[in-house]
Amino acid sequence: MYSWRMSTSDRLIESTRELLWERGYVGTSPKAILERAGAGQGSMYHHFKGKPDLALAAIRRSAQELRATAEGVLGGPGTPYERIEAYLLRERDVLRGCPIGRLTMDPEVIADDALRAPVEETLDWIRTRLAGIVEEGKEQEQFASSLDSDEIAATVLATVQGGYVLARASGSPAVFDAGVRGLLALLSQEVDPAVQEGWTPCSTSCP
């Protein structure tokens, strides 16, 4: 399943990441981790102090990956609106949900300060990054000055995370796409018409 070039510790981290995403903390047993990683008994305790230590390494890696993916879009070219649009429309496995967002519904993770920290920090980082882009748009007179950057950022993040929940509940990504289209329609009303000249909003069929 994993490349032979991967170290045992990396295989353990990757298998734990996947299992946390699929089953949550309680459902991620040491036995399941070792089986998926193709590692022998005792490997976990050779490289990590135990399941909590391994879970923390896995959550941190998922958080780093999510940040890098988000920054690749939010830090890309285009107007502030286009960068937010690109973030909302980026390719996602909607029915699988967010590997970080789903952990907020895991009581064991939320109850543990160490495990919760990278989850909270990552979501705060995305919200702060989005708020900065909205503020940038206001400074460039592309967005209405009356917009509250923090509120818009929170709305964007809530649309994405809430969209995952609704999509999983319905068994279809359609409701996620509808939420994104609705938010973009509202946000586009706050864009200076002069800024919109020369570009056409992307549909949710974009990658």
Side-chain angles (χ1 to χ4, degrees), residues 66-95:
L66 184 60
R67 285 195 190 197
T69 300
E71 180 57 30
V73 178
L74 296 174
T79 66
Y81 175 90
E82 290 172 323
R83 286 149 61 197
I84 293 173
E85 178 189 50
Y87 170 74
L88 286 167
L89 297 174
R90 76 170 181 81
E91 187 173 358
R92 293 177 169 90
D93 188 347
V94 174
L95 293 181

Side-chain angles (χ1 to χ4, degrees), residues 121-141:
E121 290 166 3
T122 300
L123 295 176
D124 283 346
W125 179 87
I126 293 175
R127 188 168 61 248
T128 300
R129 189 71 175 87
L130 287 164
I133 293 174
V134 175
E135 197 63 30
E136 180 184 333
K138 290 168 61 178
E139 292 172 356
Q140 297 175 7
E141 298 184 346

Side-chain angles (χ1 to χ4, degrees), residues 102-169:
R102 286 189 66 178
L103 293 174
T104 63
M105 296 180 284
D106 193 314
E108 284 74 21
V109 172
I110 295 304
D112 188 303
D113 290 343
L115 296 179
R116 187 182 70 250
V119 175
E120 182 180 4
E121 290 166 3
T122 300
L123 295 176
D124 283 346
W125 179 87
I126 293 175
R127 188 168 61 248
T128 300
R129 189 71 175 87
L130 287 164
I133 293 174
V134 175
E135 197 63 30
E136 180 184 333
K138 290 168 61 178
E139 292 172 356
Q140 297 175 7
E141 298 184 346
Q142 296 175 348
F143 285 140
S145 60
S146 59
L147 283 182
D148 185 302
S149 300
D150 291 331
E151 290 181 357
I152 295 300
T155 301
V156 172
L157 187 56
T159 297
V160 171
Q161 294 299 327
Y164 284 131
V165 173
L166 294 176
R168 285 174 61 80

